[in-house]
């Protein structure tokens, strides 16, 4: 089955997310700004980066390498157009994060907002965990369930309705448990209230540093 994300025009997605009744672009961009300020990662990967919302907060004085990953090449083309002259060392990867060969050189932070809802969580998380350097931080945004509103808010941008059949909300506790199995320890959690009773869960996880040095080298120290 073709990924429905490939059928959603960038302009529909951006307009939908920015509508006052959705207002998720603003919330996610603000979160990215605060996370980058708090951790000043030397390298960053944004998974499900779409057209680069939040990339304006990347300060290349601190973050020397920025990676954007998305399955939709048209989104990445918009991102490139907007940011390639502002962010040196921008790497854009068109890939399915659940593919068996998915990987990129490890980074010190991965930011993944509203993407685990559309994939096999265990497979994607395992792949992403391999792309985190020891001690690196994973920041994840998950959409929380609400009785007041459908997971995809109905707006005039009808193409977004293609997502309903593949959208599965992810339980934060189940996600944290899976993180543990991939050597990612929860540092803290937060929540962001939104319009129409919606809210985001934000989880921060640190990759174990143990075994980052091979055991034989540890013995000789
Ligand atoms: C809800 S959007 C993410 C929101 C975005 N982070 C923002 O700040 O607006 C989900 C993104 O994940 C991408 N995506 C969905 N499934 C994917 C997959 N299997 N591999 C890579 N990217 C995927 C979509 O193309 C889309 O750009």
């Amino acid at each position: 089955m073709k990924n429905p994300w490939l059928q959603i025009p960038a302009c529909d997605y951006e307009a939908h997310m920015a509508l006052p009744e959705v207002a998720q672009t603003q919330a996610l961009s603000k979160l990215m700004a605060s996370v980058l300020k708090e951790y000043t990662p030397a390298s960053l990967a944004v998974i499900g980066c779409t057209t680069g919302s939040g990339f304006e907060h990347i300060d290349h004085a601190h973050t020397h390498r920025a990676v954007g990953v998305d399955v939709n090449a048209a989104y990445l083309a918009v991102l490139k157009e907007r940011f390639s002259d502002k962010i040196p060392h921008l790497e854009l990867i068109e890939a399915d994060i659940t593919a068996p060969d998915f990987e990129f050189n490890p980074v010190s932070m991965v930011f993944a907002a509203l993407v685990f809802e559309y994939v096999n969580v265990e497979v994607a998380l395992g792949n992403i965990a391999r792309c985190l350097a020891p001690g690196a931080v994973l920041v994840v945004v998950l959409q929380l369930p609400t009785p007041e509103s459908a997971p995809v808010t109905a707006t005039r941008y009808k193409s977004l309705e293609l997502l309903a059949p593949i959208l599965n909300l992810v339980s934060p506790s189940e996600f944290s448990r899976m993180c543990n199995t991939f050597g990612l320890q929860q540092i803290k959690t937060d929540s962001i209230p939104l319009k129409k009773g919606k809210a985001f869960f934000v989880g921060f996880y640190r990759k174990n540093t143990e075994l980052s040095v091979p055991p034989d080298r540890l013995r000789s120290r």
Side-chain angles (χ1 to χ4, degrees), residues 3 5-6 13 17 24-25 28-29 32 46-54 69-72 75 93-99 102 111-120 124 163 166:
N3 190 326
W5 275 105
L6 300 175
Y13 177 74
M17 291 289 276
Q24 295 185 356
T25 302
L28 292 176
S29 172
M32 190 140 139
V46 181
I47 308 291
C49 59
T50 322
T51 52
S53 170
V69 178
D70 207 284
V71 73
N72 187 319
Y75 296 170
I93 303 174
E94 176 197 345
D96 177 344
I97 57 169
T98 60
F102 175 75
F111 186 89
L114 307 183
V115 64
F116 283 103
E117 285 82 355
Y118 303 99
V119 294
N120 178 318
L163 297 174
I166 62 156

